Structures are given as C-alpha cells and as structure tokens.
Amino acid sequence: RAIGALRRPFVIADTASDTGGSHATAMEKFRSTSSRLPPGMARFVAARGGRNLTESQYRMTVLVITFLSYMMYHASRKPPSIVKSVLNPTEEQRALGERGWAPFNGPDGNRLLGQTDVAFLASYSIGMFFSGHIGDSMDLRVFLTYGMIGSGVFVCMFGMARAWERHDMFYFIFVQVCAGLFQSTGWPSVVSVMGNWFGKSKRGLIMGVWNAHTSVGNILGSLLASRMLRYGDWGAAFTVNGLLTVAVGLLVHGWLVVSPEDAGYQSPAGTAGDASKGEGGIMAGDGDALKPAIEGAQQRRKPQAAGFAAALKIPGVVTFSLCLFFTKLVAYTFLYWLPFYIERTEIGGEYLTAAKAGELSTLFDIGGVAGGIIAGYVSDRFNARSLTSAGFVYLSIPVLYMYREYGSMNMTANVCLMMLAGALVNGPYALITTAVSADLGTHESLKGNARALATVTAIIDGTGSIGAAVGPFLVGYISAHTNDWNHVFFMLYAADLIAGLLLMKLVIKEIRQMPMS
C-alpha cells in the first residue's frame, strides 16, 4: 500500500467535509510542492486555494504555449523573405523611384541576400547540435525563455538598421548569426516538452496538428511584414515580429510546465512509475508519513542526458537526419525565396507588388498545415512513418514541376498548385521533425532515459538545418549567375528524389512488417 500510494499523483481534492480544514491543508501542501511550477502557474494554483489543475488542463496549456512559442519562432523568420525585393528592387521598380537599401541594392544584391540567409541558417544548424544537449541538462522552460527573448531582440536589430542607417554587411551578418544561435533553442525544447506530456498513441496525428504552428507562424509573419511594407517601413516588418517573440517568451517563462512530474502526475512514458490518474484528482493518503508524488519528483535524481554517440546508434536516426537534410532544403527554399519568386514571375499577364506577393505566398503554408495533419494521420493509421514520408517526397516532384510550368498561366492555377506543393513539401518535413523525432527519442535502446529526446531531436533537426542553409544559399547563387529559375527547380527535384531514395531501406522494412489482410 505504501509503494502504491507513493506512485499516485498529488492533486488536492475538493470534497473534504471540513471546508476550512480542507482549504488550509490544500494551501499547506501547495506551499510545499509549488517550487517546480512556473511563477505564473504557481500563482494561479494558489489563487484556486491550492487546488491543482487536472492533467488534461495541463496538457492543454502545454499544447497552446508550445504552439504559440514555435509559431513566433517561425513568424520572426519570415521578414527577410518578404523584404528581399524591397532591399533589392528590379529595374522596373528602380525606374519608378525604388532605391533599395545598400549594400543589397547593387548588382550582386541577390548573392548578398543569400549570404544573410546562410549566416542565420548556418549558425542555427550549428547551435542546434549543442542546444539539444544543453536543453537535456537544464530547465527547458528557462532555456526556451532565453532563446525566445534573445531571438526577438536580434530580429528587432535587423529592422533597426533602417532607423540607425546601417549599411555595412558585417552588421547584418552579425545580427543574423546571433539570431540563428538563439533560434536553435526552440525546436529541441518544444518537442521535448510535448514528448513529456503526450504518449506514443496517436502521436503522429497530435503532432501533425500541433506542427501547424510552423505554417501558422509563416502566415502570421508574412502578413505582418506585408502590412508594414504597405506603410513603406521595411524595418517595422522585423521589429513587430521581434517584439511579439519577446512577449511570448515571457509567457513561456511564467506558464509552461515542462513535465507531468512537475505538476504531480506520471509521465506517459512511464518514467515516474505507474499511477492511477483521475480527472478530478486523487488524495495523497495512507498517512502523513507519505509525501506527495510531486515532492518525490523534486528529490529524484535526474537521469543523465544522452550523449551524441548513444543517440546516433539509435536505428533510424542517421537515415532520417539525412532525409531531413534534403526535405528541409526544399522547404526552406520556399520559406526564404517564394515571395521573391512570385513577385518576379508573371501570373496571368501581370506582376504583383512585394506586399501582394508576400500575402499570396501564405497559401503555400496553408497547404502545409493540411499536409502535416494528413501525413501524421496516415502514418498513425498504417504505423508507417517511413512509407508516408517517402510517398510525400516522391509525389512532390511532379507537383513542383507543374507549379513551375503551369503556375504562371493564371491565378487559379497558381493558387491550387502552390497549396498542393505546400502540402507535399511540408508533410514529410513536419512528420520527421515531430512524431519521428519523438519516437526515436524514446526508443527502447535508451533503456527509459527520457532525457535523450532533445538530443535526438537536435541531431535530426540540426542535420536538416544544414540543408536549410544550403538551399537558400544555392538559390541566391544560381539566380544571381543564371537569372533562370528552371535551374533552381532542378535542384529541388533532385533534393526530393534523394530524400526518397534514402528512406527506401526503411520503407521496405515497414512494408514487410505490415499485417497481411
């Protein structure tokens, strides 16, 4: 009975016969267990008389806060793609009085813009390999807070170049490098927190829906930046997104509960032992000598964070990391260059302004939301992560070809093909960075060490981020030297083909393991 009672989550019950005594007991126990709750959440529970939230309520807060967090990470990445054509206008725009912004308005403007993208993404990918291990070794809430505030500050600094009249390339490279390092704190942290709260059952679908934050962030960032361009202020396109990122970082610090143990509940992965949970709460009984589970969570020795060598030995980590290299190369090419491409492509006999091109590009991300959800559902339904990812990347090749060849016919064709391309490009990218990473981070070979999740996530997404840096850099180089977007699309076709081929061994294995009907 004593062991069973120790395993029960501590939630204050509402049904004590002595109301005054119940309230006093609740507050006394709350004071002894609230140190692991974030300050905002601790004050909220105290205001409830010490009555804890239900596990479902905690899950909902985690879902919403991590969604908002990474939504703003992605929103703050969009301004560079929206303002590219303002910093480096076309000859027609120059004839109408657009001067651009030095040093990007010269003949090698596209190459310099590509270098700023590479500075951000290279530092992001390098930082990713370290941030995962650091995140596994410290409080993820604090780590994520510092990352969001730092990221928001340096995004604002890029935009402040307009007010400060900064034209030196060193300034822009420095700001982008720092922004990339702070941005690398985000993904390992939010995936680890989600992995702590949500078990493997229906993980693909849940994380597919949750991963819509990527596309929603892209849409929000594009719309905010485009709106600022309508006011003629490209600097505000950065500062507005940066300040919102800082604000959400403060929300994370005050309210994000990193793991169920911090709130007195058992982890879905079973790391805190089995427990019998209830929506309304369970009393911690069987004597005053028994301490509540949340108090035990404070005293437990934290498992050591998994090293890179152990994480790399997990079956599938290297394969999916290399696959993500190529799928993220394609996804980030669209993230950073799609508005620029749309503005310079005649659609139905006319060209769009930079603001309209930025707004139209959000349809790619709307398609991406659907793609992530569909990929997650299909992979859960057939228990086939590799097969689903490979199917999406193979289908994306003919769709990208049709978008390049027929997207300029009229607006309807452009919209339909762009949304379909968004679904097929973002589907496998979303699946690998969420459900696949969470699956591998809780692989049986880790022997229950749940603290490996951020490390595994960092390895996979860090490798993918190298591809994300390579893609936009190659686009800037190719477009500057050939002025032919067909060569850019050839690169995208090849990247998707290689991504699919890398998964073939795992695809064959999954097919063989499928039950025969």
Side-chain angles (χ1 to χ4, degrees):
R1 290 182 62 197
I3 294 174
L6 280 170
R7 286 179 173 176
R8 294 173 188 161
F10 171 68
V11 184
I12 302 301
D14 299 328
T15 57
S17 57
D18 184 356
T19 305
S22 174
H23 179 76
T25 302
M27 290 302 298
E28 181 181 350
K29 291 184 177 180
F30 166 73
R31 282 192 293 269
S32 67
T33 60
S34 62
S35 62
R36 290 181 64 86
L37 288 175
M41 186 64 74
R43 284 193 290 270
F44 178 72
V45 175
R48 288 163 47 93
R51 290 182 293 110
N52 204 5
L53 276 67
T54 66
E55 191 173 10
S56 295
Q57 290 171 333
Y58 274 119
R59 280 202 186 100
M60 183 57 63
T61 63
V62 167
L63 196 70
V64 172
I65 293 173
T66 54
F67 186 98
L68 292 174
S69 172
Y70 214 70
M71 177 191 76
M72 287 314 307
Y73 270 113
H74 258 262
S76 64
R77 298 177 194 176
K78 282 301 292 184
S81 68
I82 303 299
V83 305
K84 273 186 171 73
S85 56
V86 176
L87 301 178
N88 182 27
T90 63
E91 292 301 325
E92 292 80 4
Q93 291 171 326
R94 293 173 194 269
L96 295 174
E98 296 287 342
R99 295 183 300 171
W101 190 265
F104 306 112
N105 57 353
D108 59 346
N110 282 2
R111 182 178 62 83
L112 295 178
L113 288 169
Q115 288 179 1
T116 62
D117 293 341
V118 171
F120 173 87
L121 293 167
S123 64
Y124 174 82
S125 61
I126 293 171
M128 185 71 71
F129 288 103
F130 296 98
S131 64
H133 192 69
I134 296 171
D136 276 338
S137 306
M138 66 176 291
D139 188 337
L140 285 172
R141 175 178 60 87
V142 176
F143 187 58
L144 187 59
T145 299
Y146 287 154
M148 293 201 71
I149 293 176
S151 177
V153 167
F154 282 102
V155 169
C156 289
M157 285 183 65
F158 195 110
M160 290 305 295
R162 183 176 185 271
W164 295 341
E165 290 289 334
R166 296 302 298 260
H167 296 279
D168 50 308
M169 192 64 182
F170 173 81
Y171 175 84
F172 293 103
I173 294 294
F174 171 77
V175 167
Q176 288 291 76
V177 167
C178 293
L181 289 174
F182 278 105
Q183 284 258 341
S184 68
T185 62
W187 191 243
S189 300
V190 295
V191 171
S192 290
V193 173
M194 285 291 291
N196 290 339
W197 281 96
F198 294 89
K200 192 170 182 179
S201 176
K202 295 185 179 179
R203 179 179 281 166
L205 178 59
I206 291 172
M207 287 196 159
V209 175
W210 172 75
N211 194 64
H213 54 49
T214 300
S215 297
V216 173
N218 291 341
I219 294 168
L220 176 64
S222 297
L223 294 177
L224 288 174
S226 297
R227 175 58 59 181
M228 295 302 105
L229 289 187
R230 291 183 181 275
Y231 296 141
D233 189 353
W234 66 263
F238 289 87
T239 54
V240 169
N241 280 290
L243 291 174
L244 287 175
T245 303
V246 171
V248 176
L250 297 176
L251 174 70
V252 167
H253 182 267
W255 294 90
L256 180 63
V257 182
V258 171
S259 68
E261 288 89 344
D262 293 347
Y265 290 99
Q266 178 196 0
S267 168
T271 55
D274 296 329
S276 299
K277 299 185 287 293
E279 288 299 301
I282 299 177
M283 289 292 291
D286 293 342
D288 295 335
L290 299 180
K291 295 183 179 181
I294 191 170
E295 207 167 289
Q298 290 178 299
Q299 297 175 351
R300 284 195 303 272
R301 181 178 179 270
K302 292 183 178 180
Q304 293 295 317
F308 285 103
L312 287 171
K313 291 178 181 178
I314 300 172
V317 167
V318 173
T319 300
F320 276 108
S321 296
L322 293 174
C323 177
L324 189 63
F325 175 95
F326 292 100
T327 56
K328 203 166 182 179
L329 182 154
V330 177
Y332 269 62
T333 295
F334 281 95
L335 175 68
Y336 278 91
W337 286 94
L338 181 58
F340 188 87
Y341 169 76
I342 292 174
E343 190 197 4
R344 281 161 168 72
T345 302
E346 191 177 22
I347 302 175
E350 62 181 73
Y351 290 92
L352 302 181
T353 64
K356 288 183 179 179
E359 292 165 355
L360 180 62
S361 69
T362 61
L363 296 175
F364 181 88
D365 295 296
I366 293 175
V369 173
I373 295 172
I374 294 170
Y377 172 78
V378 172
S379 70
D380 277 345
R381 175 68 176 81
F382 299 101
N383 192 27
R385 308 284 199 221
S386 304
L387 183 59
T388 303
S389 299
F392 270 67
V393 295
Y394 283 136
L395 287 173
S396 68
I397 297 173
V399 172
L400 290 177
Y401 173 79
M402 288 189 290
Y403 177 67
R404 171 57 182 163
E405 294 297 319
Y406 306 111
S408 60
M409 290 176 56
N410 53 61
M411 187 60 71
T412 301
N414 190 285
V415 167
C416 293
L417 290 171
M418 187 193 307
M419 294 183 70
L420 183 57
L424 294 173
V425 167
N426 284 343
Y429 162 46
L431 184 63
I432 293 172
T433 53
T434 54
V436 170
S437 295
D439 289 349
L440 295 176
T442 54
H443 193 268
E444 58 185 7
S445 65
L446 294 170
K447 299 179 181 179
N449 184 3
R451 305 204 80 200
L453 184 53
T455 301
V456 171
T457 302
I459 290 173
I460 293 176
D461 201 48
T463 306
S465 297
I466 298 174
V470 170
F473 170 75
L474 290 177
V475 172
Y477 180 85
I478 294 171
S479 63
H481 286 77
T482 67
N483 199 28
D484 186 354
W485 283 90
N486 285 323
H487 293 87
V488 173
F489 277 83
F490 291 151
M491 176 190 74
L492 301 180
Y493 308 150
D496 273 337
L497 178 61
I498 296 172
L501 293 175
L502 284 168
L503 293 174
M504 288 312 298
K505 184 177 180 180
L506 294 177
V507 168
I508 294 171
K509 182 180 179 181
E510 282 185 350
I511 292 175
R512 288 175 176 172
Q513 291 177 345
M514 284 183 176
M516 301 299 292
S517 57

